[in-house]
């Protein structure tokens, strides 16, 4: 380990001076290291004492604290398990000063550290949860959602019940996010499946595959529940209109204005504005035919992607392959050397 320092003394002497300083400030730590397990254990005790000492001053000089922790983190051996404690502290401080962008939170890197530091299941979940919360605090919603899915995906059938709060939070944030329209992947997560039979799971199922009418019926029976989640009914209605339209666009390549008004519960004057907003999301590509009062669909994203969708993809690729073979044969007929 080579930790940046202002004075040229050994790491052991630096640790001793830190102990003496923390003790003088009231920290519950001995002046000398009584452990025979080496510098890493000594450092872990110092970090723990430091964490307890500064809790009442968490908002003070976060940028300096972040720099000090960063120096300590990058000065330690890459495979040193105690880096976990330092990194957790670094994440907490970065969240307080909106500086998470300067901390490595890429999932591939985090996964590598989990292996390098040989973290147990509890510490692994704690690390993912800290990264998630920091990203949320710093308004990095898309990255936070990926971390939460990674966290929930790390649970097994045996411990899925322990992730009840995380699964609940994941669903609510996904429904609330104005830029999230696909929820099918959440249904496969074991902690989410554990919620089956509860209202939150019923609501998620509606957003995954049901139509607007199903949401309206659910809301009428569970208005207080929707409000308790902090969800906006108006935003839910707007999202469900788009999701319903996406489903219609997959099934039909031409949709009449009358059908849209009925299925989406909108007025005749609102159809054109709705279609324009839908195209902006890039979930549906279509054109308006004002003369015949219909929408012509060129492409729509599938809300769910299961066996049926894989079969359709297989059929399309097989058809393209056959067409290319026909073209190649035609070109060879016209020009034998082709």
């Amino acid at each position: 380990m080579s930790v940046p320092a202002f004075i040229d003394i050994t790491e052991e002497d630096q640790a001793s001076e830190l102990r003496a300083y923390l003790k003088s400030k009231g920290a519950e730590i001995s002046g000398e290291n009584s452990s025979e397990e080496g510098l890493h254990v000594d450092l872990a005790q110092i970090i723990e004492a430091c964490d307890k000492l500064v809790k009442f001053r968490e908002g003070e000089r976060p940028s300096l604290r972040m720099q000090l922790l960063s120096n300590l983190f990058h000065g330690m051996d890459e495979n040193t398990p105690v880096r976990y404690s330092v990194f957790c502290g670094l994440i907490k401080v970065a969240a307080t000063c909106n500086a998470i962008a300067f901390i490595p939170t890429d999932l591939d890197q985090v996964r590598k550290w989990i292996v390098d530091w040989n973290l147990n299941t509890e510490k692994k979940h704690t690390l993912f949860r800290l990264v998630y919360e920091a990203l949320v605090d710093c308004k990095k919603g898309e990255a936070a959602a990926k971390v939460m899915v990674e966290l929930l995906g790390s649970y097994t059938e045996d411990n899925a019940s322990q992730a009840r709060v995380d699964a609940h939070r994941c669903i609510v944030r996904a429904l609330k996010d104005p830029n999230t329209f696909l929820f099918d992947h959440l249904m496969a997560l074991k902690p989410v499946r554990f919620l089956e039979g509860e209202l939150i799971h019923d609501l998620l199922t509606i957003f995954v595959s049901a139509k607007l009418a199903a949401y309206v019926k659910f809301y009428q029976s569970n208005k207080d529940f929707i409000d308790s989640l902090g969800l906006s009914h108006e935003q839910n209605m707007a999202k469900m209109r788009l999701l319903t339209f996406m489903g219609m666009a997959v099934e039909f390549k031409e949709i009449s204005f009358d059908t849209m008004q009925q299925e989406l519960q909108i007025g005749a004057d609102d159809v054109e504005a709705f279609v324009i907003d839908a195209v902006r999301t890039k979930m549906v590509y279509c054109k308006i035919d004002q003369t015949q009062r219909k929408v012509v669909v060129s492409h729509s994203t599938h809300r769910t992607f299961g066996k049926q969708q894989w079969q359709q993809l297989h059929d399309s690729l097989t058809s393209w392959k056959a067409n290319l073979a026909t073209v190649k044969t035609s070109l060879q007929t016209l020009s034998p050397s082709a």
Side-chain angles (χ1 to χ4, degrees), residues 83 104 107 138 295 328:
R83 285 186 97 201
L107 276 176
C138 295
V295 172
K328 181 180 179 181

Side-chain angles (χ1 to χ4, degrees), residues 137-194:
D137 291 342
C138 295
K139 306 295 188 296
K140 304 289 184 181
E142 184 177 351
K146 292 180 180 179
V147 173
M148 177 54 77
V149 170
E150 183 78 15
L151 168 61
L152 295 180
S154 66
Y155 282 87
T156 64
E157 295 285 355
D158 296 332
N159 61 8
S161 61
Q162 300 173 11
R164 183 190 195 88
V165 174
D166 289 324
H168 194 283
R169 184 188 306 175
C170 178
I171 294 172
V172 173
R173 287 204 62 84
L175 297 181
K176 188 180 294 186
D177 186 354
N179 298 315
T180 299
F181 306 104
L182 302 178
F183 308 93
D184 187 35
H185 62 290
L186 298 180
M187 300 293 284
L189 298 172
K190 293 179 178 63
V192 172
R193 292 210 305 264
F194 184 81

Side-chain angles (χ1 to χ4, degrees), residues 310-324:
W310 280 114
Q311 185 61 50
Q312 290 176 356
L313 179 60
H314 175 270
D315 294 342
S316 295
L317 292 175
T318 302
S319 176
W320 291 349
K321 182 179 180 180
N323 291 339
L324 288 173

Side-chain angles (χ1 to χ4, degrees), residues 272-290:
E272 184 173 345
F274 170 81
V275 172
I276 292 173
D277 289 339
V279 171
R280 283 174 178 165
T281 66
K282 298 183 179 181
M283 304 302 290
V284 181
Y285 293 90
C286 58
K287 294 181 180 180
I288 299 174
D289 188 336
Q290 288 283 11

Side-chain angles (χ1 to χ4, degrees), residues 66-331:
M66 183 173 161
Q67 182 179 354
L68 293 173
L69 284 170
S70 180
N71 286 343
L72 179 60
F73 179 76
H74 292 290
M76 304 171 99
D77 295 335
E78 289 188 2
N79 297 333
T80 302
V82 77
R83 285 186 97 201
Y84 163 77
S85 300
V86 180
F87 186 68
C88 288
L90 190 57
I91 289 292
K92 292 177 184 177
V93 175
T96 64
C97 57
N98 196 28
I100 195 65
F102 302 103
I103 305 299
T105 56
D106 178 74
L107 276 176
D108 289 336
Q109 179 63 73
V110 174
R111 293 190 197 102
K112 182 179 182 301
W113 282 335
I114 287 174
V115 175
D116 291 345
W117 302 337
N118 193 28
L119 300 185
N120 59 30
T121 300
E122 182 180 354
K123 287 186 176 181
K124 179 170 65 174
H125 291 166
T126 298
L127 180 57
F128 278 134
R129 197 171 291 112
L130 278 175
V131 173
Y132 167 78
E133 291 172 351
L135 289 169
V136 169
D137 291 342
C138 295
K139 306 295 188 296
K140 304 289 184 181
E142 184 177 351
K146 292 180 180 179
V147 173
M148 177 54 77
V149 170
E150 183 78 15
L151 168 61
L152 295 180
S154 66
Y155 282 87
T156 64
E157 295 285 355
D158 296 332
N159 61 8
S161 61
Q162 300 173 11
R164 183 190 195 88
V165 174
D166 289 324
H168 194 283
R169 184 188 306 175
C170 178
I171 294 172
V172 173
R173 287 204 62 84
L175 297 181
K176 188 180 294 186
D177 186 354
N179 298 315
T180 299
F181 306 104
L182 302 178
F183 308 93
D184 187 35
H185 62 290
L186 298 180
M187 300 293 284
L189 298 172
K190 293 179 178 63
V192 172
R193 292 210 305 264
F194 184 81
L195 297 175
E196 190 171 350
E198 299 186 20
L199 287 177
I200 188 65
H201 192 277
D202 295 341
L203 180 61
L204 175 62
T205 303
I206 290 174
F207 276 81
V208 168
S209 58
K211 294 184 177 181
L212 176 64
Y215 169 74
V216 172
K217 182 178 179 181
F218 180 90
Y219 178 76
Q220 291 172 346
S221 302
N222 302 282
K223 181 179 182 301
D224 292 340
F225 175 71
I226 295 292
D227 293 339
S228 70
L229 297 178
L231 297 174
S232 166
H233 174 58
E234 290 72 21
Q235 291 180 4
N236 289 346
M237 288 288 290
K239 184 173 287 192
M240 278 305 304
R241 284 192 177 99
L242 173 63
L243 294 174
T244 302
F245 181 56
M246 287 167 55
M248 295 166 62
V250 167
E251 189 174 357
F252 307 105
K253 295 306 176 184
E254 294 185 356
I255 309 171
S256 68
F257 283 10
D258 292 338
T259 300
M260 291 183 63
Q261 290 174 230
Q262 180 180 355
E263 293 289 335
L264 306 181
Q265 300 181 19
I266 57 177
D269 297 336
D270 299 323
V271 172
E272 184 173 345
F274 170 81
V275 172
I276 292 173
D277 289 339
V279 171
R280 283 174 178 165
T281 66
K282 298 183 179 181
M283 304 302 290
V284 181
Y285 293 90
C286 58
K287 294 181 180 180
I288 299 174
D289 188 336
Q290 288 283 11
T291 304
Q292 300 188 44
R293 289 178 50 79
K294 66 181 181 181
V295 172
V296 181
V297 179
S298 57
H299 172 73
S300 178
T301 302
H302 288 269
R303 294 173 64 185
T304 59
F305 207 91
K307 185 177 181 180
Q308 180 181 355
Q309 286 71 40
W310 280 114
Q311 185 61 50
Q312 290 176 356
L313 179 60
H314 175 270
D315 294 342
S316 295
L317 292 175
T318 302
S319 176
W320 291 349
K321 182 179 180 180
N323 291 339
L324 288 173
T326 302
V327 171
K328 181 180 179 181
T329 302
S330 299
L331 290 172

Side-chain angles (χ1 to χ4, degrees), residues 15 18-19 22 29 41-51:
L18 282 172
R19 281 178 172 275
L22 291 173
I29 187 171
V41 174
D42 191 14
L43 187 57
Q45 294 174 355
I46 292 173
I47 292 172
E48 182 180 0
C50 184
D51 183 55

